[in-house]
Structure formats: C-alpha cells, structure tokens
Amino acid sequence: MPRSSPPNVSALGRFLRLGSTGARIAGNLMLQGLTPGKTGLDWQPVGDLLGDVLGQMKGPVLKLGQQASQWQGVLPEPISQALTRLQNRVPALPFSALEEHLQQLYDGRLHQLFQPIETQPCAAASLGQVHRARDAQGQALVLKIQYPGISEICAADLQQLRRLLPLGRLFRAPAEQLEALYSELHGSIHAELDYQAEQVSLQRFCTHFAGWPGLRLPQPVPELCRPGVLVLHEVTGHAMAEVGHAPAAVRERLALSLCDWLGEQVFALGLLHADPHPGNLAWTDAGELVVYDFGSVQPLEPVVLDAYVQLFAALRGPSSDALEPAFQALGGRQADSPAPHGLYKRIHKLLHPLLQPGAQWDFHRAALHQQLLELFPLMMTALGSLQPASGTLLVNRTLEGHYWNLYRLGACLPLADLLERHINRWTARRSA
C-alpha cells in the first residue's frame, strides 16, 4: 500500500491544493486541445493527478472521489480506474505517525493488549486506516484508527463547501433546501467521526442479523475500543473489485443477499447502512456477503419510508401521473411550480417494465445509467420544478451506490418482487 504524509489540516491550504489541482487539469486539457494533429483527449494524466491528490488529502474530498468511482461507463476510463483504486488503495500513514497517540489512549499498554499489531495497514480510507492485530488470547482483530487531525480536516472541507453553497442558486435551488442539504451532509460527516455511535450501530446490526444466511458482519470488541479507535473481530473476504472473477453462481448469491439485506435493514430495523462504495463490501468463496464500516448509518422515519413506498408503487403503476404526488411526498417538488410531466413520462417509461411482478432486472443489459444520461437535458429544464429533498440525500446516494454494486455483480434478479416482500411485511407490522 502506498505511503502518505499526514494530510494538511489548514482550510486555506486545502482550498489552495484543490484550486491548483483544478487549474492543472484545465491547463492539461487546454494544451491537448491546442496540440496540432491530436485527436481525442488523453485522460490518463488527469486520472493520475486526481488519484494522487485526493489520496493525499483524505477527508470529505476523498470520500466524494470514492463515491464518483462507482460511475462506471460515465467517467473516462483512466479517471474511473484512478478513483477505483481509492476504494482500497488509499495512501496510508506510517504506523509511527499513529503509535504515540495510541500509546496514550491505551495508557502505555498498547503492545501488551495487542500482540502484535501489523504496522502495514490492511486498508486505508477517507477518515482512517485499518491495522490487523491479535489480542492477548490470540484472537484475530482489526483496529480502525482515525487519522490525526481528521476532525480539523473535515471542518476545513465543510467550510469550503459552505462557501460554495450559494452557487447552487444558479440551478434555481431554493436557499432553504440548499441549507438543509448542507446540514444533512455536515451531520453525516460528524456521525462518521463518532466511533462510539458506530459501535452502537454495528452492534444493532450484528444482533438483528445474527445467523442471517449469506451475510457476515464484524463484531465489535467494546472493552478494547477507545476514542478514535474501533476494535473489531476480523472477518476476511475478497475485495468487491475482484468479484468479476467469481463464478456466476457466487455473484448471483451475493446480489440476492445484498438486496435482501438492504430490504431487511430498511423495513425491519428502520436503519440504512449509507456508505455503499465497494471498499466497504467483500465476498467469500461460499458466496457470503461481508459488510464493513458502519460509520454512516441513517435512521429512516416511517414518513420517509411511506414516501419511498409511494414512489415505488407509482413507478409500478400504469400512469406516470402518480409520480407527481409521490415526489411531493418526498419533498422533491418546489411549491407553486409546474409539474415536469415530460420528465415523469420518460422516467416511468424506463423503470416501469423493470419493476413489474416477476420481471428480471438484468443490470448489465438494461444499462440504466446510460439511458438516464440521455435525460440530462430534460432534467436540467426541470430544475425549476424539482428540488433536492432534505432527509433523502444519503438514502439516494446509497441507492445509487448499490445500483453500481449490482451492475458490478452482473445481477439479474426480480428486484421488485424482493422489495415487495419486505414492504408487505412492514405494512402488516404497522397495521397489527
């Protein structure tokens, strides 16, 4: 795994680093466009630069890069590959940059409690990195350790985003909705920094899904956890980036387990694991799905679930007209603006056949993302009618992320039937 120095925590320094990177990218592309006889653009230097800068900066900007890495077939291939490497190949800090702080947290007993700790991290991400270890009894563990100064890094990046927020008015987004979206993002970042809350969320998932077939979750070890350090029993698996090499039967089991797990957590627990990038998923040769990183878990209120269920029913129904009250229920419509019925009809035409009873959604063959790209001009004209719905940012991001995970798995499954089963159970419990 590549090495990194501690990231810059200065708001100004991070702003200048991003600004200079943008200028270098623009200059490279402009120079290519002016080169005589050159046809097409070489995106490789851009991908290399983005991967290096985001990996070194860490924090929320790296998290955005990890999310963008899922847009297969949308971004130029060199950029997609560079961002994909950020899912599990983020430059890591040397253990020496963490050891002194860890010794303080464990009252100088770090190497008595963990025998040994592997100094080479097994994973590095946007907010921290993971080291394998064993406890005094020899049990295999992993230590999820926050980067030094990561709170200041997140504050700096959020400050820059706060300054850029008024640009959203160029797309006719209401100020109160932009503020609500910022508040939601701000809350989600701070939630991911709270390892105590993550431990509680993970324990809830472990308790509910104990013995669940086809699913493996890492159990926390509360007595060894400390502020900024989450200690878990190790659960190993193959990286999701390698799942294309798995047999078709294994990929089918993984896709079914993923959908079933999502439906159960949403409609039975009222919670959503909201960080779906492939670095947080793994798989075993037996076709078991392994899920890591419960730092972003979104509670789902019944009123929000009701709105999504209404949208699901509208997409399955015979007329696109039902999408208007569904978007209103979600809070995705600007008041006193005309309904974008043209966009509704196109969306309904795309999704309606895939959500019928018994329909098999072939994620590769349908290539829904390519068809949605064709709707982009129509979406832009509808911005005066639609608005970002507060409370749904993480939900929508998670749905998008798992679309790409199912696409990566080459899934072909009766998605609507799987969802309907969970919805019917949820409805029956509410009416009981």
Side-chain angles (χ1 to χ4, degrees):
M1 183 172 293
R3 291 297 182 94
S4 171
S5 57
N8 192 334
V9 302
S10 161
L12 177 60
R14 293 177 70 80
F15 175 76
L16 293 175
R17 181 76 184 273
L18 282 176
S20 65
T21 300
R24 288 173 64 187
I25 290 173
N28 178 280
L29 296 178
M30 183 180 298
L31 181 62
Q32 290 191 52
L34 295 174
T35 302
K38 185 174 180 58
T39 59
L41 293 174
D42 179 9
W43 291 99
Q44 191 62 54
V46 176
D48 293 341
L49 178 60
L50 276 176
D52 178 63
V53 170
L54 297 184
Q56 296 290 337
M57 290 187 70
K58 301 181 172 53
V61 294
L62 171 56
K63 185 168 286 293
L64 289 174
Q66 290 174 330
Q67 293 166 15
S69 70
Q70 301 178 80
W71 301 340
Q72 299 175 30
V74 177
L75 295 172
E77 184 63 20
I79 293 180
S80 180
Q81 290 180 356
L83 296 181
T84 295
R85 287 193 290 273
L86 295 178
Q87 294 169 4
N88 53 18
R89 294 282 298 170
V90 175
L93 298 184
F95 187 71
S96 58
L98 307 172
E99 190 169 13
E100 182 179 353
H101 177 61
L102 291 173
Q103 284 284 19
Q104 292 175 354
L105 290 176
Y106 287 96
D107 300 320
R109 300 177 59 238
L110 177 68
H111 295 293
Q112 285 75 46
L113 293 171
F114 303 102
Q115 304 175 3
I117 300 175
E118 293 186 7
T119 57
Q120 176 69 16
C122 58
S126 54
L127 306 182
Q129 62 191 49
V130 180
H131 290 258
R132 289 190 177 94
R134 291 189 179 272
D135 64 12
Q137 290 73 45
Q139 294 186 90
L141 307 173
V142 293
L143 278 66
K144 180 180 175 183
I145 307 167
Q146 286 184 6
Y147 296 126
I150 193 63
S151 295
E152 292 82 358
I153 288 170
C154 290
D157 287 358
L158 288 169
Q159 181 181 354
Q160 303 308 327
L161 179 61
R162 190 72 183 82
R163 290 171 175 168
L164 294 173
L165 203 62
L167 294 178
R169 299 303 303 275
L170 297 175
F171 299 101
R172 293 176 287 179
E176 62 274 12
Q177 291 296 325
L178 291 170
E179 188 63 38
L181 282 173
Y182 174 79
S183 297
E184 189 170 347
L185 179 61
H186 183 278
S188 70
I189 292 294
H190 282 278
E192 290 195 53
L193 293 172
D194 188 344
Y195 278 11
Q196 176 62 35
E198 179 175 354
Q199 180 184 324
V200 171
S201 296
L202 176 55
Q203 190 59 65
R204 287 189 65 184
F205 273 81
C206 287
T207 300
H208 185 86
F209 289 100
W212 189 269
L215 180 70
R216 300 188 66 192
L217 306 178
Q219 286 274 357
V221 187
E223 64 272 17
L224 292 176
C225 296
R226 296 291 187 274
V229 181
L230 185 61
V231 181
L232 311 166
H233 289 286
E234 184 179 18
V235 179
T236 59
H238 305 294
M240 190 57 70
E242 302 169 0
V243 78
H245 303 299
V250 168
R251 287 187 279 112
E252 181 180 353
R253 286 197 293 273
L254 290 169
L256 288 170
S257 294
L258 177 59
C259 292
D260 212 21
W261 174 65
L262 285 170
E264 179 71 11
Q265 64 180 277
V266 167
F267 291 105
L269 270 177
L271 298 174
L272 179 65
H273 178 286
D275 199 354
H277 81 78
N280 289 337
L281 302 175
W283 55 280
T284 69
D285 292 330
E288 297 169 305
L289 179 69
V290 184
V291 185
Y292 305 120
D293 198 338
F294 286 73
S296 181
V297 171
Q298 173 87 349
L300 297 174
E301 298 296 331
V303 65
V304 174
L305 285 179
D306 276 332
Y308 277 104
V309 169
Q310 184 177 348
L311 180 61
F312 174 69
L315 290 168
R316 298 188 87 187
S319 172
S320 63
D321 292 341
L323 290 176
E324 171 62 10
F327 272 97
Q328 288 185 1
L330 273 174
R333 286 277 287 109
Q334 292 194 32
D336 304 321
S337 63
H341 286 294
L343 180 60
Y344 289 160
K345 288 179 180 178
R346 296 288 299 275
I347 293 174
H348 188 268
K349 183 179 179 181
L350 286 178
L351 292 175
H352 176 75
L354 300 171
L355 298 178
Q356 294 311 295
Q360 295 284 327
W361 186 333
D362 187 330
F363 278 77
H364 255 296
R365 182 170 295 179
L368 186 65
H369 58 282
Q370 295 177 358
Q371 298 179 69
L372 288 174
L373 278 177
E374 297 174 4
L375 294 184
F376 185 74
L378 189 56
M379 292 177 181
M380 293 300 292
T381 62
L383 286 176
S385 301
L386 300 177
Q387 64 185 18
S390 60
T392 65
L393 175 67
L394 288 179
V395 178
N396 294 337
R397 189 193 77 180
T398 302
L399 293 175
E400 177 190 0
H402 283 307
Y403 165 83
W404 288 111
N405 287 327
L406 291 169
Y407 183 83
R408 182 177 292 103
L409 287 165
C412 182
L413 44 75
L415 183 63
D417 292 348
L418 295 172
L419 284 174
E420 186 176 38
R421 186 172 73 244
H422 288 285
I423 290 171
N424 289 342
R425 291 174 182 168
W426 177 66
T427 304
R429 284 194 298 267
R430 295 186 72 197
S431 58

